[in-house]
Protein backbone atom coordinates (compact mmCIF):
# COMPACT_ATOMS: atom_id res chain seq x y z
CA UNK A 1 0.00 0.00 0.00
CA UNK A 2 2.76 2.43 0.95
CA UNK A 3 4.61 1.55 -2.28
CA UNK A 4 1.53 2.45 -4.35
CA UNK A 5 1.10 5.74 -2.47
CA UNK A 6 4.77 6.63 -2.97
CA UNK A 7 4.60 5.75 -6.68
CA UNK A 8 1.46 7.84 -7.14
CA UNK A 9 3.01 10.75 -5.26
CA UNK A 10 6.11 10.59 -7.48
CA UNK A 11 3.91 10.53 -10.59
CA UNK A 12 2.02 13.61 -9.42
CA UNK A 13 5.30 15.38 -8.62
CA UNK A 14 6.57 14.68 -12.14
CA UNK A 15 3.38 16.13 -13.64
CA UNK A 16 3.72 19.20 -11.41
CA UNK A 17 7.23 19.78 -12.74
CA UNK A 18 6.05 19.34 -16.33
CA UNK A 19 3.33 21.96 -16.01
CA UNK A 20 5.43 24.39 -13.94
CA UNK A 21 3.43 24.08 -10.73
CA UNK A 22 5.46 25.55 -7.84
CA UNK A 23 6.45 22.99 -5.22
CA UNK A 24 5.98 24.34 -1.67
CA UNK A 25 8.77 23.24 0.64
CA UNK A 26 7.00 23.61 4.00
CA UNK A 27 3.55 23.67 5.56
CA UNK A 28 3.21 27.44 5.79
CA UNK A 29 3.95 27.84 2.09
CA UNK A 30 1.36 25.19 1.25
CA UNK A 31 -1.27 26.95 3.35
CA UNK A 32 -0.39 30.32 1.86
CA UNK A 33 -0.78 28.99 -1.67
CA UNK A 34 -4.21 27.56 -0.82
CA UNK A 35 -5.49 30.92 0.43
CA UNK A 36 -3.98 32.86 -2.49
CA UNK A 37 -6.45 33.37 -5.34
CA UNK A 38 -4.74 33.98 -8.66
CA UNK A 39 -7.41 34.26 -11.35
CA UNK A 40 -4.81 34.36 -14.15
CA UNK A 41 -3.30 30.99 -13.24
CA UNK A 42 -5.35 28.77 -10.96
CA UNK A 43 -8.30 30.77 -9.66
CA UNK A 44 -9.75 29.48 -6.39
CA UNK A 45 -8.05 26.28 -5.26
CA UNK A 46 -10.24 23.21 -4.75
CA UNK A 47 -9.33 23.11 -1.06
CA UNK A 48 -10.53 26.68 -0.50
CA UNK A 49 -13.69 26.09 -2.53
CA UNK A 50 -14.63 23.12 -0.33
CA UNK A 51 -13.90 25.14 2.83
CA UNK A 52 -16.51 27.62 1.65
CA UNK A 53 -19.11 25.16 0.34
CA UNK A 54 -19.07 22.71 3.29
CA UNK A 55 -20.39 25.19 5.92
CA UNK A 56 -23.08 26.36 3.48
CA UNK A 57 -24.14 22.77 2.81
CA UNK A 58 -24.09 22.00 6.54
CA UNK A 59 -26.29 25.03 7.23
CA UNK A 60 -28.85 23.92 4.64
CA UNK A 61 -28.83 20.33 5.89
CA UNK A 62 -29.15 21.39 9.53
CA UNK A 63 -31.96 23.83 8.73
CA UNK A 64 -33.92 21.11 6.94
CA UNK A 65 -33.23 18.53 9.66
CA UNK A 66 -34.31 20.82 12.49
CA UNK A 67 -36.86 22.95 10.67
CA UNK A 68 -39.19 20.33 9.20
CA UNK A 69 -40.03 18.54 12.50
CA UNK A 70 -40.38 21.91 14.22
CA UNK A 71 -42.76 23.10 11.50
CA UNK A 72 -44.94 20.01 11.88
CA UNK A 73 -44.94 20.35 15.66
CA UNK A 74 -45.76 24.08 15.54
CA UNK A 75 -48.56 23.52 13.04
CA UNK A 76 -50.07 20.70 15.12
CA UNK A 77 -49.73 22.68 18.32
CA UNK A 78 -51.43 25.67 16.73
CA UNK A 79 -54.35 23.53 15.56
CA UNK A 80 -54.76 22.09 19.07
CA UNK A 81 -54.69 25.48 20.77
CA UNK A 82 -56.84 27.33 18.22
CA UNK A 83 -59.77 24.90 18.19
CA UNK A 84 -61.89 27.38 20.09
CA UNK A 85 -61.16 30.24 17.70
CA UNK A 86 -63.73 31.15 15.05
CA UNK A 87 -62.60 31.86 11.50
CA UNK A 88 -64.57 33.52 8.78
CA UNK A 89 -63.44 30.98 6.19
CA UNK A 90 -61.63 27.64 6.07
CA UNK A 91 -58.85 29.20 3.97
CA UNK A 92 -58.10 31.62 6.78
CA UNK A 93 -57.72 28.74 9.25
CA UNK A 94 -55.44 26.81 6.91
CA UNK A 95 -53.35 29.90 6.25
CA UNK A 96 -52.95 30.60 9.97
CA UNK A 97 -51.80 27.02 10.60
CA UNK A 98 -49.33 27.27 7.70
CA UNK A 99 -47.98 30.54 9.07
CA UNK A 100 -47.44 28.91 12.43
CA UNK A 101 -45.55 26.07 10.74
CA UNK A 102 -43.44 28.55 8.75
CA UNK A 103 -42.50 30.44 11.91
CA UNK A 104 -41.47 27.17 13.57
CA UNK A 105 -39.39 26.18 10.54
CA UNK A 106 -37.58 29.54 10.41
CA UNK A 107 -36.96 29.67 14.15
CA UNK A 108 -35.66 26.17 14.73
CA UNK A 109 -34.26 25.73 11.24
CA UNK A 110 -31.95 28.68 11.82
CA UNK A 111 -30.93 27.34 15.24
CA UNK A 112 -30.01 23.95 13.83
CA UNK A 113 -28.55 25.48 10.68
CA UNK A 114 -25.99 27.80 12.23
CA UNK A 115 -24.86 25.16 14.72
CA UNK A 116 -24.42 22.62 11.94
CA UNK A 117 -22.52 25.18 9.85
CA UNK A 118 -20.18 26.04 12.72
CA UNK A 119 -19.52 22.45 13.78
CA UNK A 120 -19.32 20.89 10.33
CA UNK A 121 -17.45 23.80 8.79
CA UNK A 122 -14.94 24.06 11.62
CA UNK A 123 -14.32 20.30 11.55
CA UNK A 124 -13.70 20.28 7.80
CA UNK A 125 -11.62 23.47 7.75
CA UNK A 126 -9.40 22.41 10.65
CA UNK A 127 -8.85 18.86 9.35
CA UNK A 128 -8.12 20.12 5.83
CA UNK A 129 -5.65 22.74 7.04
CA UNK A 130 -3.89 20.19 9.22
CA UNK A 131 -3.64 17.77 6.30
CA UNK A 132 -2.22 20.48 4.04
CA UNK A 133 0.24 21.71 6.67
CA UNK A 134 1.44 18.18 7.53
CA UNK A 135 1.13 17.02 3.91
CA UNK A 136 -0.42 13.82 5.20
CA UNK A 137 -3.92 12.32 5.34
CA UNK A 138 -4.38 10.34 8.56
CA UNK A 139 -6.60 9.96 11.60
CA UNK A 140 -4.66 12.52 13.65
CA UNK A 141 -6.00 15.38 11.54
CA UNK A 142 -9.61 14.46 12.32
CA UNK A 143 -8.95 13.78 16.01
CA UNK A 144 -7.23 17.14 16.57
CA UNK A 145 -9.86 18.98 14.50
CA UNK A 146 -12.76 17.47 16.45
CA UNK A 147 -11.09 18.13 19.81
CA UNK A 148 -10.37 21.76 18.91
CA UNK A 149 -13.89 22.21 17.55
CA UNK A 150 -15.42 20.81 20.75
CA UNK A 151 -13.25 22.99 23.00
CA UNK A 152 -14.07 26.18 21.10
CA UNK A 153 -17.78 25.37 21.02
CA UNK A 154 -17.92 25.25 24.84
CA UNK A 155 -15.35 27.91 25.68
CA UNK A 156 -17.98 29.84 27.69
CA UNK A 157 -18.04 27.01 30.29
CA UNK A 158 -14.46 27.63 31.31
CA UNK A 159 -11.41 25.38 31.23
CA UNK A 160 -13.17 22.36 32.74
CA UNK A 161 -16.02 22.58 30.25
CA UNK A 162 -13.61 23.02 27.33
CA UNK A 163 -11.61 19.93 28.33
CA UNK A 164 -14.75 17.83 28.65
CA UNK A 165 -16.12 19.09 25.35
CA UNK A 166 -12.77 18.47 23.64
CA UNK A 167 -12.81 14.88 24.90
CA UNK A 168 -16.38 14.40 23.67
CA UNK A 169 -15.44 15.93 20.31
CA UNK A 170 -12.53 13.51 19.99
CA UNK A 171 -14.83 10.55 20.67
CA UNK A 172 -17.08 11.73 17.84
CA UNK A 173 -14.29 12.82 15.49
CA UNK A 174 -12.29 9.59 15.52
CA UNK A 175 -15.13 7.40 14.14
CA UNK A 176 -15.94 10.15 11.64
CA UNK A 177 -12.30 10.22 10.57
CA UNK A 178 -12.21 6.44 10.22
CA UNK A 179 -15.30 6.58 8.03
CA UNK A 180 -13.94 9.39 5.85
CA UNK A 181 -10.51 7.77 5.44
CA UNK A 182 -12.15 4.45 4.64
CA UNK A 183 -14.29 6.13 2.01
CA UNK A 184 -11.18 7.70 0.47
CA UNK A 185 -9.44 4.31 0.42
CA UNK A 186 -12.44 2.77 -1.36
CA UNK A 187 -12.27 5.56 -3.95
CA UNK A 188 -8.57 4.83 -4.38
CA UNK A 189 -7.57 8.45 -3.82
CA UNK A 190 -6.91 10.50 -0.69
CA UNK A 191 -8.09 14.09 -0.45
CA UNK A 192 -4.59 15.52 -0.80
CA UNK A 193 -4.04 13.47 -3.94
CA UNK A 194 -7.39 14.64 -5.31
CA UNK A 195 -6.48 18.27 -4.63
CA UNK A 196 -3.12 17.83 -6.39
CA UNK A 197 -4.79 16.08 -9.34
CA UNK A 198 -7.33 18.92 -9.70
CA UNK A 199 -4.51 21.44 -9.63
CA UNK A 200 -2.57 19.50 -12.26
CA UNK A 201 -5.65 19.25 -14.49
CA UNK A 202 -6.15 23.01 -14.32
CA UNK A 203 -2.44 23.66 -15.00
CA UNK A 204 -2.57 21.22 -17.93
CA UNK A 205 -5.54 23.05 -19.46
CA UNK A 206 -3.75 26.36 -18.97
CA UNK A 207 -0.55 24.96 -20.53
CA UNK A 208 -2.45 23.52 -23.52
CA UNK A 209 -4.18 26.87 -24.02
CA UNK A 210 -0.81 28.65 -24.09
CA UNK A 211 0.62 26.11 -26.53
CA UNK A 212 -2.41 26.50 -28.80
CA UNK A 213 -2.04 30.27 -28.78
CA UNK A 214 1.65 29.95 -29.59
CA UNK A 215 0.87 27.68 -32.54
CA UNK A 216 -1.91 29.96 -33.75
CA UNK A 217 0.18 33.13 -33.65
CA UNK A 218 2.39 32.28 -36.70
CA UNK A 219 -0.68 31.15 -38.63
CA UNK A 220 -2.44 34.43 -37.87
CA UNK A 221 0.64 36.41 -38.88
CA UNK A 222 0.88 34.50 -42.17
CA UNK A 223 -2.81 35.07 -42.82
CA UNK A 224 -2.51 38.80 -42.10
CA UNK A 225 0.55 39.03 -44.35
CA UNK A 226 -1.30 37.34 -47.21
CA UNK A 227 -4.27 39.64 -46.73
CA UNK A 228 -2.01 42.68 -46.84
CA UNK A 229 -0.34 41.41 -50.01
CA UNK A 230 -3.74 40.91 -51.64
CA UNK A 231 -4.84 44.40 -50.68
CA UNK A 232 -1.60 45.91 -52.01
CA UNK A 233 -1.99 43.93 -55.23
CA UNK A 234 -5.56 45.17 -55.67
CA UNK A 235 -4.47 48.74 -55.02
CA UNK A 236 -1.63 48.46 -57.57
CA UNK A 237 -4.05 47.07 -60.19
CA UNK A 238 -6.49 49.91 -59.53
CA UNK A 239 -3.70 52.47 -59.93
CA UNK A 240 -2.67 50.91 -63.25
CA UNK A 241 -6.27 51.03 -64.48
CA UNK A 242 -6.52 54.69 -63.56
CA UNK A 243 -3.39 55.42 -65.53
Amino acid sequence: METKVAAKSEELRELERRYNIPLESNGLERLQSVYTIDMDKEGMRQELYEMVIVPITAFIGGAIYGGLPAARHARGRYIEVSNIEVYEHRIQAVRSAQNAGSRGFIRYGFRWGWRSAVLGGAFHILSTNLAIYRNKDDLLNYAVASATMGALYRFNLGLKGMVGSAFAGTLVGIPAGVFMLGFQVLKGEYNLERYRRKRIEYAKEHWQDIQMRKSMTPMMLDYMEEELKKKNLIKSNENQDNL
Side-chain angles (χ1 to χ4, degrees), residues 156-175:
N156 58 324
L157 299 179
L159 182 60
K160 189 174 181 179
M162 291 177 65
V163 171
S165 184
F167 180 73
T170 305
L171 293 180
V172 175
I174 290 177

Side-chain angles (χ1 to χ4, degrees), residues 5-6 8-10 12-13 16 22-34 45 47 126-142 181 184 190-197 199:
V5 173
K8 195 168 186 178
S9 178
E10 186 62 32
L12 292 173
R13 190 173 295 120
E16 288 171 342
L23 301 177
E24 296 85 7
S25 59
N26 56 61
L28 290 178
E29 288 184 0
R30 286 191 291 271
L31 287 175
Q32 185 179 2
S33 67
V34 169
R45 293 273 295 271
E47 301 94 315
L126 287 172
S127 61
T128 301
N129 279 276
L130 282 170
I132 294 169
Y133 182 81
R134 299 175 62 233
N135 199 25
K136 184 185 294 186
D137 269 317
D138 57 15
L139 195 60
L140 181 61
N141 299 329
Y142 298 100
L181 286 173
Q184 294 172 36
Y190 287 100
N191 282 338
L192 287 180
E193 294 174 346
R194 179 169 59 87
Y195 295 147
R196 292 177 69 183
R197 177 175 57 80
R199 194 179 185 190

Side-chain angles (χ1 to χ4, degrees), residues 66-166:
L68 290 179
R72 287 196 297 268
H73 176 75
R75 185 173 181 274
R77 181 64 179 166
Y78 179 82
I79 293 173
E80 292 176 2
V81 173
S82 62
N83 279 334
I84 59 174
E85 295 187 14
V86 178
Y87 295 96
E88 296 179 358
H89 199 276
R90 183 175 180 275
I91 296 178
Q92 183 181 0
V94 173
R95 186 175 298 167
S96 298
Q98 289 177 345
N99 291 338
S102 299
R103 289 193 296 270
F105 179 85
I106 293 172
R107 182 180 179 183
Y108 289 95
F110 181 76
R111 287 185 181 181
W112 278 85
W114 77 260
R115 285 176 171 84
S116 300
V118 170
L119 294 176
F123 178 75
H124 177 76
I125 291 170
L126 287 172
S127 61
T128 301
N129 279 276
L130 282 170
I132 294 169
Y133 182 81
R134 299 175 62 233
N135 199 25
K136 184 185 294 186
D137 269 317
D138 57 15
L139 195 60
L140 181 61
N141 299 329
Y142 298 100
V144 173
S146 58
T148 306
M149 176 190 66
L152 293 177
Y153 187 69
R154 292 296 184 183
F155 76 96
N156 58 324
L157 299 179
L159 182 60
K160 189 174 181 179
M162 291 177 65
V163 171
S165 184

